[in-house]
């Protein structure tokens, strides 16, 4: 420990090192349940690329594991510390280095907050689409590490589609530049995409070149109530089958609706079994909403309410934004699943989750990015009750098994971390797992980068 601190101090300013155990303990874990966390030896808050390189050279020389972190808003344990590690928190590397309206790119450091970037590019008539629900807190580096998504993915896609190039400090301290600043480029293997979603297991992202879009028109929102989740899912299928491209298509089940009603008095009818929210940011969003409203009615909607302006749209979206907060009031703890299935199997996923909730005697609410089939079943349980905690974990696993049975994936945007390691191996299969472990060894032969995550 003394040797580690001495070598780190040789290349870092004093304020970059945190050794107080009461403070370092606060960096031990992210927001996931059921994910063990170790005790870090030290927390380092670098401000420059050279600082990060010094940390990795020191870690390699002394064979000390390094756990990179952003804002720790993740839900899979990917940022959890391991015993004796260096926690490398990138939050102080928070500069927007460039916004280029001609090339439509932004160049940023990893600690930039998502919402900060979004507002900065918006001032220049540009748009950075990825919008995780934690966008006011989460960092771009963390978004890249977990390949995060958000509400707008149905139209605009996930983080991976906006990362053009990266500067990455490798395990031995070398600096690698990947990708490009140009709109097109296919030279060599796509190492940029390899790092996106790698959860800090291959290298430390210290700079990112991000693609931007022109700022779209203000979106308008429609809310449709249904007497069954199956009818709401049918409406989703009709909307997508007819070629519509909403900027948002979200679904809440009856458990989530009732939790939101109980917390915020939203006034949704008790008979509502599912609420579908659709939005368009097209030149004539009202016309698009009218057509989608007809499709919802044809699918069995009991009520369809289109917003007339931005203020009404925000009111309609408020229920969705409150979903996770409302479900957190049901019990002392929650586990938020992240299973993505083909849109055509969405109804089966919701019905199956409801059956799992009944089987285990638990409250499980589902909110979903319905337009891309990404469901978030939220298992509510009492942490102080060992039996209920066991049932919560078993139901969580059964939900993931259901997703795979329906042709889906165990994670659409939250990542694997430690929470879903076992399930990643099931999804990849033995050949896929062998190749991924081989890639890990190529980039990190000593196994120092975020050990114990993914596989």
């Amino acid at each position: 420990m003394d040797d580690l601190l001495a070598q780190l101090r040789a290349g870092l300013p004093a304020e970059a090192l945190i050794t107080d155990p009461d403070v370092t303990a606060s960096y031990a874990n992210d927001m996931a349940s059921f994910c063990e966390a170790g005790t870090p030896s030290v927390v380092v808050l670098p401000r420059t690329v050279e600082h990060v390189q010094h940390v990795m050279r020191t870690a390699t020389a002394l064979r000390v594991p390094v756990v990179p972190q952003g804002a720790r808003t993740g839900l899979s344990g990917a940022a959890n510390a391991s015993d004796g590690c260096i926690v490398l928190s990138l939050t102080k590397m928070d500069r927007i280095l460039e916004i280029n309206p001609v090339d439509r790119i932004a160049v940023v450091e990893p600690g930039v907050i998502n919402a900060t970037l979004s507002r900065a590019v918006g001032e220049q008539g540009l748009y950075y689409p990825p919008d995780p629900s934690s966008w006011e807190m989460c960092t771009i580096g963390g978004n890249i590490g977990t390949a995060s998504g958000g509400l707008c993915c149905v139209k605009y896609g996930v983080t991976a589609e906006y990362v053009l190039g990266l500067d990455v400090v490798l395990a031995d301290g070398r600096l690698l530049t990947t990708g490009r600043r140009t709109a097109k480029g296919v030279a060599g293997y796509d190492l940029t995409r390899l790092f996106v979603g790698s959860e800090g297991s291959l290298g430390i992202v210290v700079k990112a070149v991000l693609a931007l879009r022109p700022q779209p028109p203000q979106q308008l929102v429609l809310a449709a109530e249904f007497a069954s989740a199956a009818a709401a899912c049918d409406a989703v299928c009709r909307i997508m089958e007819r070629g519509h491209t909403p900027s948002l298509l979200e679904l809440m089940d009856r458990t989530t609706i009732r939790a939101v009603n109980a917390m915020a008095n939203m006034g949704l009818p008790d008979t509502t079994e599912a609420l579908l929210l659709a939005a368009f940011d097209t030149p004539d969003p009202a016309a698009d909403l009218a057509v989608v409203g007809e499709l919802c009615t044809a699918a069995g909607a009991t009520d369809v309410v289109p917003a007339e302006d931005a203020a009404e749209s925000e009111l309609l979206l408020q229920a969705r934004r409150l979903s996770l907060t409302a479900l957190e009031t049901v019990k002392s703890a929650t586990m938020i699943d992240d299973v993505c299935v083909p849109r055509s199997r969405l109804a089966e996923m919701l019905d199956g989750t409801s059956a799992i909730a009944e089987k285990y005697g638990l409250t499980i609410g589902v909110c979903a990015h319905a337009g891309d089939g990404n469901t978030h079943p939220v298992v509510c349980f009492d942490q102080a009750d060992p039996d209920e905690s066991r049932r919560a974990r078993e139901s969580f696993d059964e939900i993931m098994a259901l997703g795979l049975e329906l042709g889906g994936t165990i994670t659409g945007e939250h990542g694997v971390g430690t929470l879903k390691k076992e399930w990643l191996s099931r999804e990849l299969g033995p050949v896929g797992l062998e190749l991924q472990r081989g890639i890990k060894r190529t980039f990190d032969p000593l196994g120092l980068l975020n050990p114990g995550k993914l596989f």
Side-chain angles (χ1 to χ4, degrees), residues 84-165:
C85 76
I86 300 168
V87 163
L88 188 61
S89 173
L90 284 304
T91 55
K92 299 295 184 183
M93 295 180 68
D94 60 356
R95 295 179 299 161
I96 299 175
L97 302 173
E98 179 185 354
I99 298 173
N100 188 319
V102 175
D103 294 332
R104 292 183 184 170
I105 60 169
V107 183
V108 304
E109 292 183 326
V112 172
I113 300 297
N114 184 297
T116 300
L117 175 63
S118 296
R119 293 184 181 115
V121 301
E123 291 173 1
Q124 300 197 35
L126 297 168
Y127 179 42
Y128 180 66
D131 61 343
S133 58
S134 59
W135 78 306
E136 292 281 6
M137 300 179 288
C138 63
T139 63
I140 295 298
N143 295 168
I144 292 170
T146 58
S148 60
L151 299 183
C152 71
C153 293
V154 61
K155 179 174 182 177
Y156 293 104
V158 296
T159 296
E161 294 167 66
Y162 294 89
V163 182
L164 298 178

Side-chain angles (χ1 to χ4, degrees), residues 153-238:
C153 293
V154 61
K155 179 174 182 177
Y156 293 104
V158 296
T159 296
E161 294 167 66
Y162 294 89
V163 182
L164 298 178
L166 295 170
D167 278 6
V168 182
V169 174
L170 300 176
D172 59 7
R174 290 179 295 165
L175 183 64
L176 168 70
T177 296
T178 76
R180 63 193 194 279
R181 292 172 57 102
T182 55
K184 292 164 37 177
V186 293
Y189 295 130
D190 191 348
L191 295 183
T192 303
R193 279 287 186 114
L194 184 60
F195 282 104
V196 179
S198 66
E199 301 183 20
S201 65
L202 301 179
I204 312 295
V205 172
V206 290
K207 187 170 73 174
V209 180
L210 305 173
L212 304 175
R213 288 174 174 256
Q215 185 73 257
Q218 179 67 52
Q219 68 178 5
L220 285 181
V221 178
L222 170 148
E225 298 172 10
F226 293 86
S228 71
C233 294
D234 181 31
V236 171
C237 292
R238 291 172 187 245

Side-chain angles (χ1 to χ4, degrees), residues 289-299 304:
L289 288 184
V291 174
V292 165
E294 292 174 1
L295 292 174
C296 289
T297 300
V304 176

Side-chain angles (χ1 to χ4, degrees), residues 8 11-12 44-59 66 88-90 93 110 168-175 203-206:
L8 287 174
L12 296 170
V44 179
L45 292 94
R47 291 185 178 272
T48 69
V49 174
E50 290 75 21
H51 290 168
V52 177
Q53 289 181 286
H54 176 70
V55 170
M56 293 314 305
R57 289 176 185 133
T58 301
V66 176
L88 188 61
S89 173
L90 284 304
M93 295 180 68
V168 182
V169 174
L170 300 176
D172 59 7
R174 290 179 295 165
L175 183 64
I204 312 295
V205 172
V206 290

Side-chain angles (χ1 to χ4, degrees), residues 218-221 289 306-316:
Q218 179 67 52
Q219 68 178 5
L220 285 181
V221 178
L289 288 184
E308 294 186 0
D309 54 32
E312 285 189 12
S313 293
E314 186 55 36
L315 284 174
L316 291 176

